[in-house]
Amino acid sequence: MLIGCPKEIKPQEFRVGMTPAAVMEATRAGHQVIIETEAGSGAGFPDDDYRAMGAEIVGTAEEVFARAEMIVKVKEPQAVERKRLREGQVLFTYLHLAPDRAQTEDLIASGCTAIAYETVTDAAGGLPLLAPMSEVAGRLAPQVGAWTLQKANGGRGVLMGGVPGVAPAKVVVIGGGVVGTHAARIAAGMGADVTVLDRSLPRLRYLDDVFGRQFKNGFASAEKTARHVADADMVIGAVLIPGAAAPKLVSRAQLSEMKPGAAIVDVAIDQGGCFETSRATTHQDPIYEVDGIMHYCVANMPGAVARTSTQALGNATLPFLMALANKGWRLACSENEHLLNGLNVHAGKLTYEAVGKALDLPAINPREALRI
């Protein structure tokens, strides 16, 4: 198979879809790999590293899209990239379609086969291709939240760990999954007073058993969530419904109950955000204010630590990438139900029910797509 990896063009996105190590795996298995020049430079991988592993370096994204049978990326294809996709071509990347009608309609119109990292599953019920970036984003959230809290950035001027005689920042993490757990660990490590809220009692028991007194936890009833949010210096939104739009857990009316200059970090922004007032921002202009509350809603947070993120993502995607290249998407998905769960679009049809519900579009069963 001819595999293509273009340079990411989303603003301030420095990750790359394939590492040189992944290129070596592919070329040793007999596949061809073409990489757009400078695609890996933002993550610290120069063109020569790819050449050494057997890749061909090409000058433009247009050539990558025109020649490749499978396109491997990190972020969802931007409008100009979607115009380059064609019928029969496989796209393997993050898509996050539920809050993005324009992208969904363009992918359907292209006729391509689009497999989303974020909906591939595993035997334990997890999301193995989302987990590495969730870990990165979770660990980043208290770090960027602490920066947002600084007075010069519009925040309350509160130090995460406090100092002797002065209380630390109160941090509330909504969601006790991968993002929330990592966010809570880092925030607690910075000395903050941390509470994790979740609606799953088994998950709360797990957090209590594993982390004990590192941070507190509570059941995320509407009343308790509102009370904790009102008392917080920082709120981290860390909820996820696989493939679907994130639920809105904090309303604009509740902002008036928060402390002026408090910080919101919405890690769920890729799926539309879990705060009513959330809108996607970029690393270049990450913060905005609504009713005195500072919002950090960068849609590609892991891009800030591109080398770590690229390596972590590459470790997770490689087995699936090789299955798709070695067997073709149809056989690979028919043999692996977890990879089939990643199929979001095929041959002009939407194949992921949660996206169809979110956008009020018809969707077929992915197994039906195997026969098209």
Side-chain angles (χ1 to χ4, degrees):
M1 179 178 284
L2 178 53
I3 305 167
C5 179
K7 186 174 183 177
E8 297 295 324
I9 60 172
K10 190 165 186 172
Q12 302 295 298
E13 179 53 74
F14 302 109
R15 290 172 291 178
V16 62
M18 293 184 72
T19 63
V23 171
M24 174 182 278
E25 295 278 348
T27 56
R28 284 188 172 182
H31 304 292
Q32 294 177 267
V33 181
I34 56 175
I35 307 285
E36 183 182 354
T37 186
E38 299 296 315
S41 60
F45 300 117
D47 288 350
D48 285 345
D49 286 3
Y50 289 102
R51 287 192 184 96
M53 299 302 171
E56 176 188 351
I57 303 299
V58 301
T60 65
E62 288 88 345
E63 184 174 355
V64 174
F65 279 86
R67 291 175 55 189
E69 298 169 83
M70 177 166 65
I71 299 291
V72 180
K73 281 176 44 62
V74 178
K75 290 305 293 179
E76 70 278 0
Q78 303 301 289
V80 66
E81 295 175 310
R82 300 196 294 266
K83 292 178 181 178
R84 296 171 180 151
L85 292 167
R86 65 180 185 272
E87 185 175 350
Q89 194 171 46
V90 176
L91 173 66
F92 192 38
T93 188
Y94 287 116
L95 293 176
H96 299 292
L97 295 180
D100 193 342
R101 176 176 286 272
Q103 183 196 177
T104 304
E105 291 177 343
D106 285 352
L107 292 180
I108 292 171
S110 75
C112 79
T113 298
I115 300 172
Y117 292 162
E118 74 273 10
T119 62
V120 173
T121 56
D122 62 23
L127 302 170
L129 306 191
L130 187 62
M133 297 303 93
S134 296
E135 291 164 353
V136 171
R139 289 178 176 232
L140 268 176
Q143 180 175 314
V144 298
W147 180 76
T148 305
L149 273 177
Q150 293 178 25
K151 193 65 179 177
N153 298 317
R156 283 176 52 73
V158 174
L159 183 66
M160 287 285 277
V163 292
V166 180
K170 291 186 177 180
V171 176
V172 174
V173 181
I174 304 177
V178 176
V179 170
T181 300
H182 282 265
R185 287 178 60 190
I186 297 302
M190 295 171 77
D193 177 356
V194 182
T195 301
V196 178
L197 302 177
D198 199 282
R199 284 183 172 268
S200 168
L201 289 176
R203 185 64 184 179
L204 294 177
R205 293 188 184 103
Y206 166 83
L207 294 174
D208 188 66
D209 288 344
V210 173
F211 298 103
R213 296 185 179 276
Q214 288 185 45
F215 50 82
K216 297 169 282 188
N217 68 67
F219 185 77
S221 65
E223 181 275 333
K224 180 168 285 188
T225 299
R227 178 158 43 86
H228 278 279
V229 166
D231 195 39
D233 296 298
M234 181 193 305
V235 182
I236 297 173
V239 296
L240 173 71
I241 300 175
K248 303 299 184 186
L249 301 178
V250 177
S251 68
R252 180 163 188 169
Q254 288 174 283
L255 295 190
S256 64
E257 304 297 323
M258 296 181 69
K259 302 170 183 176
I264 283 175
V265 181
D266 197 341
V267 187
I269 193 64
D270 278 316
Q271 294 293 109
C274 59
F275 303 96
E276 185 182 357
T277 48
S278 292
R279 58 175 173 80
T281 61
T282 67
H283 291 290
Q284 192 171 10
D285 188 17
I287 301 172
Y288 63 94
E289 176 266 332
V290 177
D291 298 341
I293 307 304
M294 307 310 298
H295 292 57
Y296 184 102
C297 301
V298 174
N300 57 330
M301 284 178 61
V305 286
R307 187 172 181 88
T308 296
S309 297
T310 293
Q311 292 172 317
L313 180 60
N315 292 341
T317 58
L318 182 60
F320 297 97
L321 186 158
M322 292 305 300
L324 290 167
N326 290 336
K327 301 175 181 180
W329 80 268
R330 199 179 304 272
L331 180 58
C333 287
S334 65
E335 291 183 350
N336 186 337
E337 63 178 324
H338 300 299
L339 184 56
L340 181 61
N341 288 336
L343 186 65
N344 277 218
V345 175
H346 171 63
K349 304 287 186 181
L350 185 62
T351 59
Y352 202 82
E353 183 181 6
V355 173
K357 287 182 177 178
L359 298 177
D360 194 24
L361 292 172
I364 65 171
N365 187 290
R367 290 217 163 268
E368 184 181 339
L370 294 174
R371 299 190 292 270
I372 297 176

